[in-house]
């Protein structure tokens, strides 16, 4: 069987086009102020298993430590009633580009109205980083069915698409 996976690259070039969703529905978002590669690895596996994130599953402890200790990488966790509901990572470049590296909710927290608010917090945090000139992210057709629409509803625009053909 042949499957086509489309990857969408989206960007926001100005905070003026940002359309936040202010209603949190009880989700609380906190920055991880102390780097902990074990936490990032847990979050990647916890959230990513829903979406078949595999690129970092084989990483060694040393690779995780190096990744998380980068001064340009910041992590936030979303909590609902004390439980981890999701996370996002932001990576800021010296050129003013901030990438939403990973963004997602754990399976039990999908469909509870958190996505728009959580993404709004990621965008707000990205624009608050020093020298941000552009916020960007990529998603694909393997992601949640409303992911692309959520990005666009918050003000992101598609600037590139890639199609990958996979034979299964």
């Amino acid at each position: 069987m042949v499957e086509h996976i489309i990857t969408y690259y989206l960007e926001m070039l100005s905070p003026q086009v940002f359309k936040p969703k202010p209603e949190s529905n009880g989700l609380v978002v906190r920055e991880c102020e102390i780097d902990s590669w074990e936490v990032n690895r847990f979050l990647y596996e916890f959230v990513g298993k829903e979406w078949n994130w595999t690129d970092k599953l084989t990483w060694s402890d040393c690779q995780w430590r190096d990744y998380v200790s980068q001064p340009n990488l910041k992590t936030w966790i979303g909590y609902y009633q004390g439980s981890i509901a999701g996370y996002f990572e932001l990576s800021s470049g010296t050129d003013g580009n901030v990438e939403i590296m990973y963004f997602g909710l754990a399976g039990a927290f999908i469909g509870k109205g958190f996505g728009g608010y959580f993404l709004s917090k990621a965008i707000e945090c990205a624009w608050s980083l020093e020298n941000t000139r552009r916020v960007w992210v990529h998603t694909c057709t393997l992601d949640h069915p409303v992911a692309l629409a959520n990005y666009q509803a918050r003000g992101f625009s598609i600037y590139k698409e890639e199609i990958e053909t996979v034979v299964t």
Side-chain angles (χ1 to χ4, degrees), residues 6-153:
I6 304 170
T7 300
Y8 301 95
Y9 294 84
L10 301 104
E11 65 185 355
M12 188 179 292
L13 300 174
S14 164
Q16 284 72 38
V17 299
F18 174 37
K19 301 171 198 152
K21 184 171 183 187
E23 179 53 49
S24 71
N25 293 324
L27 189 72
V28 176
V29 181
R30 299 283 312 240
E31 182 178 0
C32 296
E33 296 181 43
I34 299 171
D35 291 341
S36 174
W37 62 269
E38 297 95 339
V39 170
N40 285 68
R41 178 170 59 190
F42 165 77
L43 293 167
Y44 176 85
E45 293 175 3
F46 180 61
V47 171
K49 69 181 172 191
E50 186 78 23
W51 312 111
N52 297 311
W53 294 353
T54 59
D55 56 320
K56 291 182 173 60
L57 289 179
T58 59
W59 276 19
S60 67
D61 292 353
C62 186
Q63 286 173 298
W64 275 104
R65 191 176 296 109
D66 290 347
Y67 173 72
V68 174
S69 67
Q70 296 175 72
N72 65 324
L73 184 76
K74 305 288 182 202
T75 304
W76 283 260
I77 301 176
Y79 297 91
Y80 181 68
Q81 297 182 354
S83 293
I84 294 174
Y87 87 114
F88 60 87
E89 293 177 352
L90 301 178
S91 178
S92 55
T94 56
D95 56 0
N97 288 308
V98 176
E99 179 182 4
I100 300 175
M101 294 286 293
Y102 291 94
F103 171 85
L105 293 166
F109 299 93
I110 294 169
K112 298 193 180 301
F114 298 145
Y117 173 77
F118 198 39
L119 180 57
S120 294
K121 291 305 287 184
I123 296 165
E124 178 184 299
C125 291
W127 281 114
S128 74
L129 296 174
E130 191 174 341
N131 300 321
T132 301
R133 295 186 355 207
R134 174 180 175 253
V135 179
W136 73 280
V137 65
H138 69 275
T139 188
C140 72
T141 50
L142 298 176
D143 204 347
H144 190 278
V146 299
L148 180 60
N150 189 20
Y151 289 121
Q152 292 174 312

